[in-house]
């Protein structure tokens, strides 16, 4: 087992981490796991320790991610990972038969590797290609519509040193070479992406769209992708134009109470129905004097969640028969700003720091606090016992 990673791997690790904000470096964990797998052929304990070291995490955090995703292998894997779909659609079309034939031909079972280290066989629950079933992948490149004979031919060619051409996608590479690509680096082999092409079912959908004139409304494939700065500038300009076009709101006139015949104040309502005793339209429509706050653009999800009304039994169901959902009014901009400020104050953004268990100082502080609490509880019990005596 390799315990020291090469300088090239360490340099690539620094490049991966640099893709993410400094306070969100742990987001680089997924590509880093692919990176260590590209050197060792699997995610070893040394690979877990390496990822934990460069990201400032503990090994338990890294191991929890590495064991969750099936693309990270936890034991040495062959040069070519052969996956056969045995889920419902492919199974009906013969996928299980293909898998059973390969298992017998290679002399291995699920997640086992041949003695020459060439082939690792696995059955997959779904390879997301039902319209091409039964399907088999080699290092995640598709071989469509396979049967037992064609599947055996593919693995025999791989074991002989050949590189059979996938039905769709570029020419085959080893699992380690594939892991480099999954880590975010280009395939540097000559003509690596020169081969392959779309499948017939995919082309069928395209031809039907062309035949019936189906296209995305207003889509221009030549439209350049704007940078974030350009997108932010365009959004700011659009917001400014919207604000300039918005009419100025004039405060509603205040209605003074109407004196009754006995000199007492009569009940009042809105300017249009003063003295009628009817409630204000907002309360009548929503059943609440605190209507929902409409979140402005750019509001964080935490604030948006904090300001969203929690539905209860009295909340109208939009699709219930005879129910009309009341139209809710937006508060003044100042109210929205105050609500947003209150939401921000009450919902601090989630940090990216390590759990308290990662720090020795934090552990000692927690132990001291627990000890102090226990001592205080003992003293309280003793004083109460003395008082009872």
């Amino acid at each position: 087992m390799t315990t020291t990673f090469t300088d090239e791997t360490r340099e690539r690790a620094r490049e991966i981490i640099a893709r993410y904000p400094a306070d969100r470096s742990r987001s680089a964990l997924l590509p880093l796991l692919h990176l260590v797998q590209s050197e060792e052929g699997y995610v070893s304990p040394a690979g877990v320790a390496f990822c934990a070291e460069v990201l400032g995490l503990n090994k338990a955090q890294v191991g929890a991610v590495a064991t969750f995703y099936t693309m990270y292998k936890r034991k040495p894997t062959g040069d070519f990972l052969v996956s056969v779909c045995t889920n419902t659609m492919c199974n009906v079309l013969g996928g299980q038969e293909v898998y059973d034939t390969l298992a017998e031909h290679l002399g291995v079972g699920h997640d086992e590797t041949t003695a020459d280290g060439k082939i690792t066989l696995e059955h997959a629950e779904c390879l997301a290609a039902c319209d091409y079933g039964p399907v088999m992948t080699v290092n995640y490149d598709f071989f469509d519509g396979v049967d037992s004979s064609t599947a055996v031919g593919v693995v025999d060619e791989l074991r002989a040193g050949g590189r059979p051409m996938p039905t769709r996608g570029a020419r085959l590479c080893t699992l380690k070479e594939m892991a480099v690509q999954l880590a975010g680096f280009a395939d540097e082999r000559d003509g690596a992406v020169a081969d392959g092409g779309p499948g017939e079912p995919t082309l069928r959908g395209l031809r039907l769209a062309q035949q019936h004139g189906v296209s995305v409304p207003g889509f221009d494939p030549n439209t350049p992708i704007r940078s974030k700065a350009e997108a932010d500038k365009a959004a700011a300009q659009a917001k400014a134009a919207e604000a300039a076009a918005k009419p100025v709101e004039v405060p509603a006139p205040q209605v003074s109470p109407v004196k009754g015949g006995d000199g007492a104040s009569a009940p009042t309502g809105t300017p249009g129905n003063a003295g009628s005793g009817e409630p204000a339209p907002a309360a009548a429509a929503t059943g609440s004097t605190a209507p929902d706050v409409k979140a402005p653009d750019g509001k964080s999800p935490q604030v948006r969640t904090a300001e969203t009304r929690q539905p209860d039994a009295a909340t109208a169901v939009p699709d219930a028969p005879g129910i009309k959902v009341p139209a809710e009014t937006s508060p003044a901009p100042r109210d929205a700003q105050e609500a947003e400020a209150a939401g921000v104050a009450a919902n601090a953004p989630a940090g990216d720091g390590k759990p308290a268990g990662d720090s020795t100082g934090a552990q000692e502080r927690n132990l001291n606090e627990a000890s102090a609490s226990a001592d205080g509880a003992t003293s309280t019990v003793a004083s109460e016992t003395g008082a009872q005596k």
Side-chain angles (χ1 to χ4, degrees):
M1 180 182 66
T2 304
T3 56
T4 303
F5 289 89
T6 63
D7 293 339
E8 181 183 10
T9 297
R10 292 184 175 274
E11 179 62 31
R12 282 178 166 175
R14 287 190 288 269
E15 181 177 341
I16 290 173
I17 296 173
R19 299 171 187 168
Y20 301 88
D23 59 340
R24 295 291 185 269
S25 61
R26 69 186 301 168
S27 299
L29 179 55
L30 295 181
L32 281 176
L33 288 169
H34 284 299
L35 181 66
V36 297
Q37 185 162 274
S38 72
E39 182 166 336
E40 295 190 296
Y42 72 114
V43 179
S44 67
V48 170
F50 174 80
C51 293
E53 172 193 347
V54 297
L55 291 178
L57 303 174
N58 59 42
K59 290 185 288 186
Q61 291 172 302
V62 177
V65 175
T67 56
F68 182 82
Y69 296 101
T70 59
M71 294 182 76
Y72 302 124
K73 304 305 177 183
R74 301 311 306 275
K75 61 182 181 180
T77 306
D79 293 334
F80 299 98
L81 176 66
V82 177
S83 309
V84 181
C85 181
T86 56
N87 210 332
T88 306
M89 182 61 73
C90 285
N91 196 0
V92 169
L93 297 174
Q96 186 64 50
E97 181 181 353
V98 172
Y99 173 81
D100 292 340
T101 301
L102 286 179
E104 181 179 359
H105 180 73
L106 297 172
V108 296
H110 170 66
D111 202 24
E112 294 180 352
T113 303
T114 56
D116 57 6
K118 290 284 187 180
I119 306 292
T120 296
L121 178 65
E122 69 174 6
H123 70 77
E125 282 302 311
C126 183
L127 294 177
C130 298
D131 47 348
Y132 295 96
V135 293
M136 177 181 78
T137 62
V138 177
N139 294 341
Y140 310 116
D141 283 319
F142 282 96
F143 289 82
D144 303 324
V146 296
D147 55 26
S148 299
S149 177
T150 56
V152 169
V154 169
V155 297
D156 284 346
E157 186 175 349
L158 290 172
R159 299 182 77 179
R163 298 290 177 92
M165 182 59 61
T167 308
R168 293 173 287 133
R171 61 185 60 176
L172 288 180
C173 60
T174 65
L175 184 66
K176 290 182 178 181
E177 292 170 336
M178 176 60 69
V180 173
Q181 300 173 46
L182 294 174
F185 298 94
D187 189 345
E188 298 177 353
R189 296 176 299 155
D190 292 337
V193 295
D195 302 312
E200 186 58 33
T202 303
L203 293 177
R204 176 60 178 161
L206 178 61
R207 294 188 184 106
L208 286 173
Q210 293 174 339
Q211 177 183 349
H212 296 283
V214 178
S215 63
V216 180
F219 174 71
D220 182 3
N222 298 319
T223 302
I225 300 176
R226 297 182 298 182
S227 65
K228 185 178 185 302
E230 294 172 338
D232 292 343
K233 182 179 179 181
Q237 292 174 346
K239 187 175 292 186
E242 182 181 355
K246 187 176 182 180
V248 179
E249 296 182 0
V250 179
Q254 300 295 328
V255 179
S256 301
V258 179
K259 297 292 184 178
D262 56 355
S265 297
T268 60
T270 60
N273 59 356
S276 64
E278 298 179 1
T286 65
S288 171
T289 57
D292 293 349
V293 177
K294 183 179 180 181
D297 294 339
K299 184 171 294 186
S300 68
Q302 293 91 342
V303 177
R304 191 183 304 278
T305 301
E307 293 175 357
T308 301
R309 180 182 59 189
Q310 298 299 320
D312 53 23
T315 304
V317 181
D319 56 353
I323 295 296
K324 181 179 181 181
V325 179
E328 301 183 12
T329 58
S330 301
R334 179 175 57 81
D335 295 336
Q337 295 173 3
E338 292 176 354
E340 181 176 2
V344 171
N347 295 272
D352 198 33
K354 297 184 292 184
D358 295 345
S359 172
T360 304
Q363 293 177 357
E364 294 178 355
R365 182 174 64 254
N366 293 340
L367 290 174
N368 292 336
E369 292 177 355
S371 178
S373 300
D375 293 342
T378 302
S379 301
T380 303
V381 172
S383 60
E384 291 177 352
T385 303
Q388 291 176 357
K389 291 181 178 179

